[in-house]
Structure formats: structure tokens, C-alpha cells
Amino acid sequence: MAVLPLFVALLVVFSGPPAAAGAGEESAAATVLVKAATAISRTDDSFVCATLDWWPRDKCNYGMCPWHNSSIINLDLYSPILYNAVKAFDSLRIRLGGSLQDQVTYKVGKHHGHCRSFRRDDGGLFGFTDGCLHMNRWDELNIFFRRTNTTVTFGLNALKGRSKAAGNDSLYVGDWDGRNARDLMRYTVGKGYRVESWELGNELSGNGVAARVAAAQYGRDVAILKRVVERVYNGTGGESPKVLAPGGFYDGAWFSEMLRVSGPGVVDGVTHHIYNLGSGKDKDLIKKMQNPSYLDEVKKTFHDMEATVREVGPWSSPWVGESGGAYNSGGKDVSDRYVNSFWYLDQLGMSATYGTKVYCRQALVGGNYCLLNTTTLVPNPDYYSALLWHRLMGPEVLKASTTSSAAGGGSPYLRSYAHCSREKPGVTVLLINLSNSTAFDVSVAGGALGASACGGRREEYNLSPAGGDIQSQVVLLNGKPLTLGPCGQIPELRPAVVADGCSPLRVPPRGIAFVRFTDFKAPACA
């Protein structure tokens, strides 16, 4: 009996017969090998996630105040554009949290104390006083979540009950006071609202950002949260929500200690944050997004995070709980432009290969790294990148590798990721060309698994920037601009269909494409 090979060779080239090279454009052959026998990891069905933050409109960075009315407390939840944008995912995960979440009190029950709105305060954490979530606003949010079929992750106040350590500027000590969180959960259950997961704290791990909590203390507090969740949801007839922690930057020793102290089965998702592009005011931000060597540096974080969870908390899984690329609200005229999809889609693909279950993007609305424009709510290019990923890339992750004939080691500029197609047969390959001058011609090799990998038709979703300007806010799909309908409807995302899936294609310079091979017979996808 013949032994089936472990891979199918995919050589993917864009748009029918090879197009003539543009002025000054070079071309190179490239091959993508997809190991299709088994999946290397599996994401959550709601892998794509976006955040809503607490920042008031007077949150400012670098002389700009880019948040406007985009926060959890003041976002217009009745905007038809917002509704359509979230509804288009039919199960978008939204994480409610961010820097100010550890200063939020929930005005419910007997343990909320004074509940006031956020105000500027130079002596407060992040320059603000404590804030308040009123239950009428929580009701409004949950009505929106129900209408849009949103999967909700809520970040809880992990500094409640603690105090600053004597002689230490950032360390907070004492047990977490979970009574206010418990009262919020009871209210949520009583109203029939569904929160899929509760997360404890924001950026308090390791050295923290503005505040930190010791790992052993955090572990004990997460165990308390687990017991609170089990008691509140016991007898409700549904599945208890997941417990997530710590929602901070990865620190191997700290994360390991937190998992050991909290104990087996307590933390369902180990959440960490990624801002690997540096400051939002970095003048080299746009260059970093196109530099394959720079993009590859974060692989170590994903690798180490996966190893920590596997070795110390195998009952759990790694999540990216927040990632905006560049911190402090992102980069003006960069983080909300086409070029940012190089970084964003590469992050989605890379993190999935390292076992990440969920990837939360900062932010759905707000700052310069928003998926939806902060004032108009019109989708930015990354919104369409996220929507295409969600619709096309299934949970089963396949191993993909790229080789190229380009001079000077050009293959790193063609990034490739492969998944079983979502809710459809076949395999979908994501290709990102970071090069500004080289087009990659790739062909399909193969029928090693009993049917040709490229046999049948293929569906192409080719993305490019309007006018060839990578800082454009308008993205083209198969050459046509993606624009909202007259009532704020999200446009249809229609593929270009090629009857002969084995015919050559071309990935142009700075092009991005999702390609679904409808008849790719992958055992991992059976």
C-alpha cells in the first residue's frame, strides 16, 4: 500500500496567464508547500476579535486626541454603519477592556461605592480618575451585542481592593475584592445577557505598565474569579463562561508562576498583548510593516508563549487579548491605511501557527489603529482584511512554507499561510507580498493526495490599495474599490473565479490575496 506524502506542493500565481511586468517591476517564481495531512493547530471559531476601550474623548497622545466618542461609555450603538459592520461577521468577538479597565466600578449591588465618570487627573493611573459603568449603559451594550450576534469578552477591574505597596511606585498588594464583579455577573445572568469569557485585569503582569501585581497574588485572585464564575452561573442551564488572565505583556517566569499558583483547570485562556511595532510616533513605522526580518522578530514571543502554556498550563491555550501594532493609539496616517494589513494579516497568520486560539485587534473603533474610522465609522482597509480572514480561513491551521527564485533572498517578502477553508471544502491560502518591486509568479505542483491540489476552480480575493498608494484608506478587491452602500451596507466580497485552478497567477508588488482551492483534498480538512 502506498504511503501518502505529508505535503502537497502549491505554487500560486495571480490572475490567469502571467501578466506583463509593470514599469520597473521584476518577477520571480515562488513555491508554497502546504502540509495537508494533519493540522498543526486549531483556532477558536471566533479567532478574529476586536476591542472596545474605555478611553474618554480627551485621551491624547503626541498632541493628538484620536478617540472622540468611540469608547465603551459613549460610542453610538445605534449607528447603522456600526451595526452592519459587526453584523457582517455573524459572530464577531468583541473584547471590552483596555488601560482604564482596572479603574472601572460597576454601579450595581451594594459594593460599588462612589461611581463617577472618568476625569482628567495627572496624578491618576494613565492620567485619569476612576470611572463608572452604569447598568443602563450595560443594557444598551448587550442589546447591541444580541442584535449583532456578538461574542463578548469582558475585562474586569483587577485592582479593586488593592493598595500601593509602601515605597514602590507601581506594585499593588492585597487580595482582589471580587464582590463588585460578582454583582455585575449576577445582574448579567439575571438579564439573560451572555458573556462568553471574563478576563481579570489589564497589563498588570511582569513589570506592568502603570501598575503591577505579583504573579503568586494574581494566581490566587484568578482562582477566586473562577469560583465566583462557577457559583454565579451554577444552575443557569448554560455553559459557564471562560476565565481569562492576565491580559498583559508576556513574561515567561511571571506567567508560569501565575499558572502554577492558580492551579489546573482555572485559566481557560492565557491572554497576552502584542505591540511589536513600537511607538505610534515612530517615523520608521511604515518601514517596519514591510520588513520581513522585523516582522519575524515576534515569532519568539509566540513560540515562548506557546511553550509556557504547554509546559505549565496544558489545560489552557494562548490568546492575544489585545494588539494594535503600535502603542499609544497607533500611528497617524499609517495604522488605519492599507499598509497596516501587511502587519495585521501577518500577525493573524503567524499567531495561528503557534497555537493562538483568539486574536483581539485594538481597536474596533478609536485611536489611529481602528478598524472603523473613529468619527465616521466607515471601514478602514484592515476591516476588510479581518472580514475576509473570518469568512475564508477555517479553524484548522496547515503548515505552509515558501521558496523563491528571487535574487537576494526575495522569498521572505512573500508571506504565506494556509488553513482549511471555513465552512466550505478545500484549502484557502493567504499570500502577502511585502516587496515594492517584485511580483511573484507561482504555479500549482501536485496531485499527491489522490486529487490535484489545484484541480477544479479557484476563488481569488486580490487586495490592493487605491492608486497604488499603500497609505490609501481605500482598498480594492479584484480591482474594484470597497465602498459602503447607500444605507451603510457592507459591500459584497465577491471573488474572481478561475475555472482552471492550476493556471498561473501573479502576486503583484505590495499585493495581498486570499485564494481558495475548491478541490484541494486535504486529509486535515476531511
Side-chain angles (χ1 to χ4, degrees):
M1 179 177 177
V3 178
L4 291 179
L6 288 179
F7 66 87
V8 173
L10 263 171
L11 206 157
V12 188
V13 184
F14 279 138
S15 300
E25 182 179 298
E26 301 174 353
S27 63
T31 303
V32 177
L33 298 177
V34 177
K35 293 186 177 180
T38 58
I40 58 173
S41 63
R42 192 184 195 284
T43 70
D44 191 86
D45 287 337
S46 56
F47 173 71
V48 173
C49 165
T51 67
L52 286 177
D53 213 308
W54 294 97
W55 290 121
R57 60 180 299 115
D58 51 351
K59 155 67 174 172
C60 305
N61 294 106
Y62 320 126
M64 300 177 291
C65 303
W67 287 85
H68 303 279
N69 291 328
S70 64
S71 83
I72 295 166
I73 53 180
N74 59 26
L75 177 64
D76 179 8
L77 299 173
Y78 299 96
S79 162
I81 298 177
L82 179 66
Y83 170 82
N84 291 334
V86 176
K87 184 67 174 177
F89 283 82
D90 190 29
S91 69
L92 177 65
R93 179 186 294 275
I94 294 181
R95 175 211 179 220
L96 288 84
S99 297
L100 296 182
Q101 81 178 52
D102 292 311
Q103 298 163 240
V104 178
T105 295
Y106 322 117
K107 194 169 185 180
V108 61
K110 300 178 181 179
H111 306 286
H112 57 75
H114 182 56
C115 211
R116 59 184 179 179
S117 300
F118 287 114
R119 291 184 295 104
R120 290 289 313 179
D121 178 6
D122 291 340
L125 286 178
F126 301 102
F128 285 90
T129 65
D130 291 352
C132 184
L133 175 62
H134 295 270
M135 290 304 96
N136 61 345
R137 182 59 177 178
W138 186 228
D139 294 337
E140 292 173 349
L141 286 160
N142 279 280
I143 290 169
F144 175 80
F145 297 149
R146 183 174 290 169
R147 291 176 62 225
T148 54
N149 194 33
T150 294
T151 299
V152 180
T153 292
F154 189 94
L156 294 165
N157 179 347
L159 291 182
K160 194 76 172 177
R162 307 190 203 275
S163 59
K164 275 190 177 182
N168 193 296
D169 290 337
S170 63
L171 179 64
Y172 279 70
V173 295
D175 294 335
W176 174 60
D177 184 349
R179 292 177 298 174
N180 191 215
R182 179 199 60 197
D183 291 342
L184 176 64
M185 288 182 201
R186 286 175 172 171
Y187 181 90
T188 299
V189 170
K191 286 283 191 173
Y193 301 150
R194 186 174 183 273
V195 173
E196 191 264 358
S197 42
W198 297 95
E199 182 180 31
L200 185 64
N202 186 83
E203 296 178 355
L204 301 174
S205 59
N207 293 324
V209 176
R212 63 187 178 93
V213 175
Q217 177 67 65
Y218 216 97
R220 292 191 292 270
D221 296 329
V222 177
I224 291 172
L225 172 59
K226 185 74 168 185
R227 291 195 292 272
V228 170
V229 169
E230 290 174 344
R231 289 168 183 168
V232 170
Y233 284 85
N234 183 38
T236 60
E239 184 178 353
S240 289
K242 298 181 180 69
V243 168
L244 313 177
F249 293 100
Y250 176 73
D251 178 310
W254 193 101
F255 274 53
S256 295
E257 180 72 0
M258 184 271 294
L259 285 168
R260 280 192 290 267
V261 173
S262 58
V266 171
V267 179
D268 299 298
V270 185
T271 48
H272 69 118
H273 294 181
I274 296 283
Y275 284 90
N276 62 309
L277 296 176
S279 166
K281 67 176 180 179
D282 188 342
K283 294 181 180 179
D284 290 330
L285 191 59
I286 195 169
K287 296 179 182 178
K288 291 178 177 179
M289 294 174 178
Q290 302 171 78
N291 184 337
S293 296
Y294 191 90
L295 294 178
D296 281 342
E297 289 178 6
V298 77
K299 284 183 179 179
K300 179 172 172 35
T301 299
F302 289 126
H303 172 273
D304 292 350
M305 179 71 182
E306 182 185 36
T308 295
V309 173
R310 182 179 64 253
E311 294 167 7
V312 188
W315 54 86
S316 187
S317 57
W319 292 32
V320 173
E322 183 182 309
S323 182
Y327 58 80
N328 283 347
S329 303
K332 186 178 185 299
D333 300 330
V334 178
S335 294
D336 58 351
R337 307 304 166 106
Y338 173 86
V339 67
N340 202 68
S341 281
F342 294 153
W343 165 81
Y344 180 42
L345 287 173
D346 193 58
Q347 282 276 294
L348 293 180
M350 186 187 300
S351 65
T353 65
Y354 284 96
T356 299
K357 292 293 186 183
V358 171
Y359 191 105
C360 294
R361 165 64 179 268
Q362 175 85 338
L364 177 62
V365 190
N368 293 311
Y369 38 32
C370 45
L371 296 180
L372 306 177
N373 183 279
T374 302
T375 55
T376 67
L377 299 178
V378 171
N380 288 320
D382 278 0
Y383 169 83
Y384 293 109
S385 295
L387 186 57
L388 282 169
W389 178 289
H390 181 73
R391 290 182 177 179
L392 298 172
M393 305 290 271
E396 296 83 8
V397 185
L398 307 176
K399 175 66 175 176
S401 58
T402 305
T403 59
S404 169
S405 66
S411 61
Y413 287 89
L414 181 64
R415 321 285 279 190
S416 61
Y417 299 99
H419 286 226
C420 297
S421 296
R422 187 180 181 98
E423 299 179 353
K424 290 183 178 180
V427 168
T428 299
V429 178
L430 167 62
L431 300 163
I432 307 166
N433 186 357
L434 301 175
S435 174
N436 62 7
S437 60
T438 300
F440 288 94
D441 294 324
V442 199
S443 311
V444 178
L449 294 175
S452 174
C454 63
R457 70 176 189 174
R458 68 170 182 268
E459 298 172 350
E460 304 173 17
Y461 300 81
N462 302 310
L463 300 178
S464 58
D469 180 7
I470 59 173
Q471 287 185 266
S472 174
Q473 284 186 291
V474 177
V475 62
L476 309 182
L477 174 61
N478 296 322
K480 296 180 180 179
L482 292 174
T483 56
L484 295 177
C487 297
Q489 301 101 323
I490 300 301
E492 290 190 51
L493 304 181
R494 296 176 178 172
V497 178
V498 178
D500 177 9
C502 295
S503 62
L505 292 149
R506 169 159 290 195
V507 190
R510 293 169 166 172
I512 297 170
F514 293 87
V515 184
R516 185 169 82 90
F517 295 89
T518 60
D519 286 359
F520 192 136
K521 306 300 183 184
C525 306

